[in-house]
Amino acid sequence: MTNILCIGAGYVGGSTMPVIASYCPEHRFVIVDINEARIAAWQSDQLPIYEPGLDEIVRQTRGKNVFFSTDINRHIAEADIIFVSVNTPTKTFGQGAGRAADLQYWEKTARQILENSTSSKIVVEKSTLPVRTAEAMERILNSNNKGLHFDVLSNPEFLAEGTAVRDMQKPDRVLIGGRETESGQKAVEQLVEMYAHWVPRDRIITTNLWSSELSKLVANAFLAQRISSINSISALCEKTEADINEVADAIRYDERIGRYFLRASVGFGGSCFKKDILNLVYLCEHYGLPEVAKYWEQVVAMNEYQEARFAANMVTSMFNTVAGKRIALFGAAFKANTNDTRESPALEVCRALLAEQADIVITDPYAMENACSDLRELAERVTFEIDPYIASKNAHAIAILTEWPQYTQLDYEKIYDSMVKPAFIFDGRNLLDHKNLYQVGFNVYPIGKPPLTRLVNMS
Ligand code: NAD
Ligand code: UGA
């Protein structure tokens, strides 16, 4: 039996470890966190994150070979392998503020591991970190005079929220970076063995430490770049009567371009894309590559433009004013099938409309609690309503901001009847049947397609 510890019981720690444990019944997994409420939630029937399929896996493994705890020091001492999946947000102060990764949680963890270790261990970076962070981690850990040796590995996580369980069960690849020393390679092999319980060997890629750390940032940068690219073209489509879905389909059949991540939208959100690209930008600047930095920075700038453009288009289309108008936002989560609202474009659009003095009502099947907490400084000006029919009653407009499939099943005739006329739908996800909505009576504004409206000349 190997004692495996994961420090950080957030989205990554909490969803990866139970899945790994379900394939490795002979190993013992403990997941620890400084946040007591979070650990209590992981121990309860009301898990702290909504992730399809996760409840069942946690129920199957918890108390057998998966344990949640706040006793970090004791479990560090007992562990053979320690995964570190603490948060690494963008720094908000000092050098590199707004770009560099804030490594304070990560460094505290490294020191805590050192203080509480009485045996040599493998320490695995699961968090997303700047390239060459492992070097600093090795320096801290191996600065001990207890005769202990720590092998630091990089094993970045590629799961996406909403599909975390499936992504873990059937990963496109597992990436493990390690030192090319004998003990480094032995550590890599031990981790490979663990994943090989269910992942085919040819999908387990091993590299040097720096390639592994950098590949994680690059993977996210490339994915986000595709969204910014298609969103930039959506703006051109709106000027030229080309249809972004048709353009995306026309290019995705080219295997060199590929099928995925070509859905135009109000913008990408989530805790990682923006943070990781800004981190990449900072690294490029740090290493004296300003042109490369500027290139990647534009991916974030384009996303901010898309969010702002969407909100501005709403105002312009509604006769240049939304002041005092009730607007229902359908969706607060940054994507469907998650309750996560971090960097959600829905909240950006919400803030932009509030600046125009609109009356906002937000509805979302799972993310209302997080949205409410994110918007707490604006709480008096926003209403939360779980029922989309009630949310849209007496509204001038609906904005679809999260692609929840339940929004395709609503009775839009009933919704239309209850709204102020002329009624508007702004579909920030191109989710709904626009022709049908137009026939019902709505003025419909998709992304990257001509609007279907009887008001063109008036506006
Ligand atoms: P999160 O904020 O949900 O969770 C991090 C947890 O670490 C928190 O519960 C926090 O209390 C805990 N923590 C912080 N310092 C600690 C300490 N010293 N000791 C114990 N616990 C501590 O973050 P997340 O979304 O799980 O992301 C974690 C890392 O994984 C980040 O680097 C992120 O970039 C990366 N990542 C995230 C995703 C994702 O989908 N969320 C996917 C891939 C990679
Ligand atoms: C993303 C990556 O997909 C994961 O591989 C990575 O591990 C993770 O970031 C991370 O490092 O945190 P995630 O942010 O959970 O995962 O979700 P995605 O499916 O990538 O979507 C991100 C955002 O892009 C969402 O707001 C989504 O709606 C938007 N998106 C996605 C589009 O607007 N269009 C698309 O075609 C695809």
Side-chain angles (χ1 to χ4, degrees):
M1 181 188 79
T2 307
N3 278 313
I4 297 172
L5 174 66
C6 177
I7 302 181
Y11 278 84
V12 169
S15 53
T16 55
M17 293 300 136
V19 176
I20 299 177
S22 70
Y23 289 105
C24 303
E26 75 278 26
H27 299 325
R28 184 171 184 269
F29 293 79
V30 180
I31 307 157
V32 292
D33 205 292
I34 39 173
N35 183 334
E36 289 179 10
R38 220 169 209 195
I39 289 297
W42 282 113
Q43 287 164 333
S44 76
D45 286 338
Q46 198 65 49
L47 301 187
I49 63 171
Y50 171 67
E51 196 56 63
L54 187 61
D55 285 42
E56 203 183 321
I57 290 180
V58 170
R59 228 177 295 124
Q60 280 164 9
T61 53
R62 197 172 52 194
K64 293 200 177 90
N65 66 334
V66 170
F67 303 89
F68 293 93
S69 169
T70 49
D71 192 351
I72 305 177
N73 294 347
R74 174 163 76 90
H75 291 294
I76 287 175
E78 288 172 4
D80 305 303
I81 300 179
I82 301 180
F83 285 86
V84 183
S85 72
V86 300
N87 36 329
T88 51
T90 303
K91 220 175 153 192
T92 53
F93 55 88
Q95 214 177 325
R99 289 175 182 224
D102 182 349
L103 297 179
Q104 60 171 311
Y105 307 101
W106 165 86
E107 190 179 327
K108 266 186 208 136
T109 309
R111 293 187 189 281
Q112 200 170 2
I113 293 174
L114 179 60
E115 263 168 41
N116 292 286
S117 290
T118 48
S119 58
S120 298
K121 298 178 195 304
I122 297 174
V123 176
V124 186
E125 296 175 342
K126 196 77 175 143
S127 302
T128 303
L129 293 159
V131 57
R132 295 202 79 89
T133 301
E135 193 173 29
M137 193 153 205
E138 283 173 340
R139 282 208 188 124
I140 293 176
L141 292 171
N142 288 323
S143 68
N144 70 84
N145 50 14
K146 303 186 207 172
L148 304 180
H149 175 74
F150 293 88
D151 283 300
V152 178
L153 302 181
S154 160
N155 171 221
E157 186 45 62
F158 295 104
L159 66 78
E161 289 179 27
T163 53
V165 170
R166 196 184 67 207
D167 294 344
M168 280 302 293
Q169 290 175 331
K170 271 186 167 293
D172 287 345
R173 81 303 207 183
V174 167
L175 179 59
I176 302 172
R179 285 281 188 190
E180 277 131 350
T181 58
E182 200 187 327
S183 92
Q185 287 304 298
K186 235 175 103 187
V188 168
E189 200 38 46
Q190 206 172 329
L191 207 54
V192 169
E193 278 302 322
M194 188 189 84
Y195 280 106
H197 278 67
W198 79 102
V199 182
R201 289 258 174 178
D202 60 359
R203 297 214 164 200
I204 306 177
I205 306 168
T206 58
T207 64
N208 79 30
L209 267 172
W210 326 127
S211 307
S212 173
E213 288 178 329
L214 184 56
S215 298
K216 172 64 198 178
L217 295 181
V218 173
N220 274 357
F222 269 58
L223 290 170
Q225 180 200 42
R226 282 173 73 88
I227 303 169
S228 277
S229 296
I230 202 73
N231 281 345
S232 72
I233 301 303
S234 75
L236 186 58
C237 285
E238 287 166 31
K239 298 281 183 204
T240 58
E241 294 188 23
D243 177 319
I244 195 65
N245 284 3
E246 292 177 357
V247 174
D249 277 346
I251 64 169
R252 83 171 92 234
Y253 280 101
D254 184 331
E255 284 184 7
R256 294 167 302 175
I257 294 173
R259 294 161 57 199
Y260 299 106
F261 270 65
L262 291 176
R263 266 185 294 116
S265 66
V266 54
F268 61 73
S271 62
C272 294
F273 277 177
K274 182 175 170 191
K275 150 177 101 64
D276 293 349
I277 295 172
L278 292 176
N279 187 349
L280 188 65
V281 167
Y282 181 74
L283 284 166
C284 294
E285 282 169 351
H286 171 81
Y287 285 106
L289 303 167
E291 289 79 5
V292 185
K294 258 190 221 130
Y295 174 78
W296 287 107
E297 201 169 9
Q298 195 55 29
V299 173
V300 175
M302 182 53 63
N303 198 51
E304 287 166 356
Y305 166 73
Q306 186 76 349
E307 289 169 343
R309 197 172 75 79
F310 184 84
N313 186 33
M314 287 182 71
V315 177
T316 321
S317 309
M318 295 171 73
F319 318 112
N320 291 312
T321 178
V322 291
K325 292 180 181 168
R326 179 176 167 95
I327 298 180
L329 306 187
F330 278 22
F334 80 96
K335 63 187 277 196
N337 292 318
T338 177
N339 62 343
D340 195 345
T341 52
R342 291 179 290 181
E343 299 291 341
S344 175
L347 303 189
E348 283 311 306
V349 170
C350 175
R351 289 191 180 97
L353 295 174
L354 284 173
E356 293 288 339
Q357 300 192 348
D359 290 340
I360 298 294
V361 50
I362 296 181
T363 183
D364 189 291
Y366 288 95
M368 301 267 268
E369 209 180 313
N370 282 334
C372 191
S373 147
D374 293 341
L375 296 170
R376 57 191 168 276
E377 79 283 4
L378 301 163
E380 281 168 17
R381 302 173 52 203
V382 182
T383 320
F384 293 90
E385 172 52 60
I386 192 75
D387 182 340
Y389 292 104
I390 300 177
S392 46
K393 197 171 171 195
N394 294 327
H396 288 250
I398 294 171
I400 309 288
L401 299 175
T402 310
E403 70 281 22
W404 287 106
Q406 31 286 59
Y407 296 153
T408 62
Q409 306 301 319
L410 299 174
D411 179 347
Y412 282 94
E413 273 189 46
K414 183 174 156 188
I415 288 177
Y416 177 77
D417 287 343
S418 75
M419 287 175 66
V420 176
K421 311 294 178 312
F424 295 81
I425 286 200
F426 298 88
D427 188 350
R429 297 288 181 171
N430 284 346
L431 179 74
L432 303 179
D433 179 341
H434 300 143
K435 281 195 184 131
N436 181 48
L437 290 173
Y438 178 64
Q439 273 159 14
V440 166
F442 283 103
N443 298 292
V444 188
Y445 293 79
I447 294 268
K449 294 164 184 256
L452 296 173
T453 167
R454 299 165 182 92
L455 304 165
V456 169
N457 293 334
M458 284 169 65
S459 65

